[in-house]
Each structure stands twice: as structure tokens, then as C-alpha cells.
Amino acid sequence: MKTILELSMKSVTLAVVLTAGAALAGCSEINGVMNDLQTMTTSNLPEQGIAQPTNKNAVSLKTDLVGLVGWFENSCGFDPVFYTEGTKENQVQKRFDTFQESFMAKQYKTDGSYTAYVKPDYRSKLPANYREAVKNISVVEDSTGVHYYVDFNNATYRGYDLSRLELFYQPESDYVYDTLYFKNANFVDLKSVFKTTRDDLDELRGGEFDAKSRSVMCYLGL
């Protein structure tokens, strides 16, 4: 969170008391200070598309990730429009592919196996518009497979606060899924926005909501 302006009411009150004795001559000076404060506040309001802060004492910027992971709500990216050059959906898909490639990597061993790791210079390679939204990226390997965790900082999805993104795959299998985790239970209000479609095998594809874990999962395997 970036604090743009924080006003101490005690400081403002003291300034008014000290200048009150200056009568009318001091009024213009006080007005000038207040005008400067107003200019500082209004000139730093969030840009269009960025959520407004609820804290009146500070202006915090929240990055909405629809432009990065919007394929979640569009049949988990199985709609053919995502692979059609020139479409907005295809641009989202390419942006997400670049996002993944910026931090996912493998260290191969002599026996042909490998260890997954996070690229040490990933932050400089993340898409610029979403760099500030990423707090940390880590990877965990367990008995089920490889889990990449992207923890967010002031990130939202259509205004609903996000906590993390999980990218999972099971080596040498088609068991693959991506999951968005939300901070609050009200994320279920998004359910009406999420679409479904049927793939080439007539399987229904779309985001699976889990109220208990406050998550939406896209199964990406065949």
C-alpha cells in the first residue's frame, strides 16, 4: 500500500490556533495551505479501472487483474476466441503466457528428472502493468505435483480482493489446474459473470467455485 497523504487533525488544529491572532491578514495564508492540500489529494486519485480505497486518510492503488487472468471467467480459456489472433481475449491469453514464462523454470538432472524453481530475475520480466500487484512468488513440490504460488499485493478481480494465484501441474501427466484465491467470502457474487463451454470432447469447461476455500479453480487438463 502506498500512502499518498496522511493528515494529522491535531496538526491542522494547532496551525489554525497559531494563525488566528493574525486576524484577516492570516486568512489568505491559511486558504493557501488548504488549497495546496486539496491539490495534492485530487491530483493523486486512482486512475480509471483501479479500485477506490476505503481508507479516507490514504490513497492506495489496487490493480485489477481481469486483463491478466480474465480467461478464468471465459470458460477457463477453452473458448476458441482465445486462440483467434487479433481478439481481446487472445491478447489476455498471450499476456498470461508471458506472465507464467517470467518466473516458471526447471533445473534438469543427469537422470532426466528436474526440479522446478522460480527465476531469480522474474520481477523485471513480469508484465509492467501487473508488476506492483505481485508480492511474492514461490514454488512447492509435494507428492501430488508442483505448485507455484503467486501472492498478491493490493490486487483485485472485478473489484473483489485477491490473495493468491496457484499454478499446479503433475509431471508426466495431464493433471493441470490454476486457482484464484479471494480474501473475502463475497467473491461468490462473481458466479453469474463466469461462463462455461464444451470442449472438443464434449466436456463442460468453466471455473469451479469453492466457497469454503474462497477460490475459483480452472481445470486445464485433457
Side-chain angles (χ1 to χ4, degrees):
M1 181 180 292
K2 294 182 179 178
T3 302
I4 305 301
L5 178 65
E6 185 171 352
L7 297 179
S8 169
M9 293 307 297
K10 290 184 180 179
S11 297
V12 174
T13 301
L14 179 59
V16 174
V17 171
L18 290 176
T19 56
L24 295 177
C27 291
S28 60
E29 184 177 348
I30 294 174
N31 289 337
V33 173
M34 296 309 292
N35 287 337
D36 289 342
L37 292 176
Q38 184 177 7
T39 301
M40 290 171 63
T41 304
T42 56
S43 64
N44 290 284
L45 287 176
E47 298 177 2
Q48 184 177 1
I50 299 177
Q52 295 280 352
T54 57
N55 185 353
K56 296 181 180 179
N57 293 325
V59 178
S60 62
L61 303 181
K62 291 189 177 184
T63 305
D64 200 278
L65 302 187
V66 171
L68 181 66
V69 291
W71 54 271
F72 264 80
E73 68 182 51
N74 286 295
S75 310
C76 290
F78 280 91
D79 191 315
V81 71
F82 278 90
Y83 304 95
T84 304
E85 287 290 334
T87 64
K88 182 171 66 175
E89 291 81 3
N90 184 246
Q91 292 175 0
V92 172
Q93 186 65 56
K94 288 181 177 180
R95 197 174 297 124
F96 185 75
D97 290 343
T98 300
F99 176 75
Q100 291 185 100
E101 292 167 3
S102 69
F103 61 86
M104 297 178 73
K106 299 174 182 177
Q107 178 75 47
Y108 283 90
K109 303 176 183 178
T110 55
D111 61 0
S113 63
Y114 64 84
T115 300
Y117 72 96
V118 177
K119 295 178 182 178
D121 59 344
Y122 75 86
R123 188 163 293 279
S124 63
K125 297 180 180 180
L126 291 171
N129 290 345
Y130 304 99
R131 200 169 292 159
E132 290 298 319
V134 176
K135 182 179 181 181
N136 183 57
I137 299 179
S138 58
V139 61
V140 174
E141 290 191 63
D142 58 24
S143 59
T144 61
V146 178
H147 309 255
Y148 278 92
Y149 295 109
V150 181
D151 292 308
F152 294 124
N153 179 42
N154 290 332
T156 64
Y157 190 94
R158 295 198 177 279
Y160 292 79
D161 290 333
L162 289 168
S163 60
R164 70 169 20 175
L165 166 69
E166 178 187 6
L167 309 177
F168 171 86
Y169 67 89
Q170 188 177 79
E172 300 181 9
S173 79
D174 62 0
Y175 186 29
V176 182
Y177 66 77
D178 291 353
T179 305
L180 277 175
Y181 291 90
F182 292 80
K183 289 185 178 181
N184 304 307
N186 63 352
F187 84 100
V188 295
D189 295 341
L190 288 167
K191 201 165 186 178
S192 61
V193 178
F194 280 64
K195 305 172 184 176
T196 59
T197 191
R198 291 193 175 275
D199 61 17
D200 295 339
L201 299 176
D202 201 33
E203 294 288 336
L204 189 64
R205 298 288 189 166
E208 298 178 19
F209 279 67
D210 186 334
K212 185 176 180 180
S213 62
R214 297 195 297 274
S215 67
V216 181
M217 188 266 279
C218 278
Y219 177 70
L220 305 175
L222 299 177

